[in-house]
Each structure stands twice: as C-alpha cells, then as structure tokens.
Amino acid sequence: MIAFVSGPVAALAPDSAVVEVGGIGIAVQCAPNTLSGLRMGQQTRLATSLVVREDSLTLYGFQDDDERQTFELLQTASGVGPRLAQAMLAVHSPDALRRAVSTADEKALIAVPGIGKRGAQKLLLELKDRLGAPLGTGPAIGSPVTTGWRDQLHAALIGLGYATREADEAVAAVTPQAEAAEGAPQVGQLLKAALQTLNRAR
C-alpha cells in the first residue's frame, strides 16, 4: 500500500494532481478542497489510499491521515465506492461526518450529491459503529469543508496556472450558478464550469 506521496507538484487538473516522486509522476485523485491547497512546483505531502480494481489502480489523495482513514471507513458501507466517499469528504470534514452519523443527521448526508433520503438512512445505520466519536475539531455539521467557495475556487484556478485576473473573471462567471445551488456549492462542479468559461475566452 502507498501510504503517502511527497514531492513537488508537477501538474494540476480539476480532479487530480501529479506529484513527482523520485523522478516519477504519480497521478493522485483529489477532492477540490485538497487541490485548492496545492501549487505548481511547490512541495506537498498527501496521505493516499490505493483502490484496486480488475482493470485499474487508482490512487486517492488527502490533506491528512484522518481524511484518508475516514475515506476507507466510508467504503465499508454497502453502496459506497471511492467516488462517493470522496464526494462526502468534499462536502464535510471527517469530524463533521462523525458528528452527522453519531447524531443521525440525515440532512448532512443528503447534502452530498448522490445521496438521497433512503440512502442517508441506510448509511447512518451502517456507519454508526464504524466512524467513531467526533473529536470536536472540525466544522459544525452541515458546514462546508472550507469557509468560502469563492476563495477555494479562486485558489484552485491559480493553482492550475491561470492569472489572477482570469481567476477573478471565472469566479464571477459561475457566481449565479453557485448562488442558485441548494446548500453548499459544489466546488468541483463550479471548477469545471469555470474552466469552460476560460477555455471559451481564449
């Protein structure tokens, strides 16, 4: 198992990063909140989890070991694959998820794209004894992982190599979409929309 990767960031994309390790570029799938903290050429250390399938090997990257462990525990629930587990961590911090499960907060789970009311009820039952008690260090239940989607999106665009002016314009272009969203805006979707506006402008 690859527990972490450490090295300079060689490339950034809307849903992944490439970290150079010993002269080899390691592709790592990351949530937007993780990607927003990365910068081209700068050193980084990502906790990782390797997901093995018959036809693929996919490495998922996280800000710390707590996120990685939560990612792996979420997948012990039936119907939760790596993509959904990553989406849950994109919306809520590990501790917010622990609080949601310990207090049977359906709304917190329904806020995650791909989880409906019935799915949330099932997850609350299955994860009740697996995630553990909240540590009291994360945001409140239902709070997004980061405080402002604008700052997060702007940082992600700068990390992808766009100029500050371009990032400002792209954030402004997707603001109506973000404000129309129910609950916390999904930065991953906004990032894709922002990249489309920037590609049209070039």
Side-chain angles (χ1 to χ4, degrees):
M1 176 178 172
I2 302 172
F4 69 90
V5 294
S6 179
V9 178
L12 287 168
D15 59 356
S16 64
V18 176
V19 180
E20 184 179 336
V21 181
I24 299 173
I26 306 293
V28 187
Q29 297 290 312
C30 302
N33 53 300
T34 300
L35 290 170
S36 67
L38 304 180
R39 297 291 180 271
M40 287 285 292
Q42 290 188 5
Q43 290 284 326
T44 189
R45 183 185 187 279
L46 296 174
T48 56
S49 179
L50 182 64
V51 175
V52 180
R53 296 286 184 264
E54 288 184 7
D55 57 349
S56 66
L57 295 172
T58 307
L59 198 62
Y60 289 83
F62 308 93
Q63 294 175 342
D64 54 39
D65 292 335
D66 189 23
E67 274 197 358
R68 179 188 62 197
Q69 184 178 14
T70 303
F71 171 80
E72 293 172 348
L73 287 171
L74 289 171
Q75 292 177 77
T76 63
S78 59
V80 178
R83 288 292 184 183
L84 183 56
Q86 190 177 53
M88 293 171 76
L89 285 167
V91 176
H92 300 295
S93 69
D95 215 43
L97 284 171
R98 285 189 284 265
R99 278 197 294 271
V101 171
S102 66
T103 60
D105 187 348
E106 287 182 20
K107 290 183 178 179
L109 296 185
I110 293 173
V112 178
I115 298 180
K117 183 177 178 64
R118 185 172 296 178
Q121 292 172 340
K122 187 177 179 183
L123 285 172
L124 288 173
L125 286 173
E126 291 196 33
L127 294 172
K128 186 176 181 181
D129 298 320
R130 301 183 192 179
L131 289 187
L135 305 176
T137 57
I141 293 171
S143 298
V145 173
T146 52
T147 53
W149 67 265
R150 288 182 177 82
D151 292 341
Q152 191 175 348
L153 179 58
H154 194 276
L157 290 167
I158 296 296
L160 288 170
Y162 288 97
T164 301
R165 178 184 57 80
E166 291 177 310
D168 289 340
E169 292 174 354
V171 170
V174 301
T175 294
Q177 178 182 335
E179 292 178 345
E182 294 184 9
Q186 299 303 306
V187 178
Q189 296 173 7
L190 294 176
L191 182 56
K192 290 179 182 178
L195 290 172
Q196 289 174 354
T197 66
L198 288 166
N199 289 336
R200 284 197 296 267
R202 287 187 166 182

